[in-house]
Amino acid sequence: DICISVVKPTISTKIASPIKVSDYIMLNKRIIMNKDIGDFDIESITPEEFEKYCALVLEKSGRETRLTKKTGEQGVDIVGIKNGICVVFQCKKYSSPVGNKAVQEVLAGRIYENAQVAAVITNNTYTKSARELAYSSDVYLLYYDDLSSFNPKI
């Protein structure tokens, strides 16, 4: 039950000198750059590594990506731009379904970053409440395997 909906366009955010995600994780022994990104166990990585993994997949699919700082990030873990469309992502590596707090956070982040699209990424499922809020607020709910083919239309 993934919510996919159309988001009204806003002014595009530009990433000034994006930080390459691959630079962050090149030395990480759990995520090896020469390996296919699908060749390791998602469940064995930390939530921070999950964010970096998601950013790497987005980068490999043609997006400029920027990981946000850990504090004051306003509900955004990754900012990605492709074809002039700015998307903010909230990453949740959970052992239980993701609730609507993640949707609320990424909605705030979409406003804060002046992005056109907001999405939550998880390794799990979403609660009914999260799906309902996402549907009514035009937020994409994604499973991490969906990232390489994620291409929102405005």
Side-chain angles (χ1 to χ4, degrees), residues 115-128:
Q116 292 103 329
V117 180
V120 181
I121 308 163
T122 190
N123 63 315
N124 211 301
T125 60
Y126 295 92
T127 64
K128 181 180 180 196

Side-chain angles (χ1 to χ4, degrees), residues 88-154:
V88 291
F89 298 91
Q90 172 72 262
C91 301
K92 295 295 184 186
K93 184 179 180 284
Y94 279 8
S95 58
S96 58
V98 176
N100 70 337
K101 183 174 184 247
V103 178
Q104 293 167 344
E105 290 172 349
V106 82
L107 275 170
R110 180 172 71 194
I111 294 165
Y112 181 77
E113 292 285 347
N114 198 27
Q116 292 103 329
V117 180
V120 181
I121 308 163
T122 190
N123 63 315
N124 211 301
T125 60
Y126 295 92
T127 64
K128 181 180 180 196
S129 178
R131 291 190 309 269
E132 290 171 349
L133 180 58
Y135 179 78
S136 67
S137 58
D138 296 320
V139 170
Y140 289 83
L141 298 181
L142 305 171
Y143 188 67
Y144 72 93
D145 278 346
D146 300 328
L147 287 181
S148 59
S149 61
F150 179 62
N151 192 23
K153 305 281 188 246
I154 295 185

Side-chain angles (χ1 to χ4, degrees), residues 60-80:
K60 286 188 175 227
S61 69
R63 277 189 174 73
E64 291 180 53
T65 58
R66 173 175 53 90
L67 288 165
T68 61
K69 55 188 177 180
K70 294 296 150 212
T71 58
E73 39 98 315
Q74 303 297 329
V76 176
D77 295 317
I78 304 166
V79 177

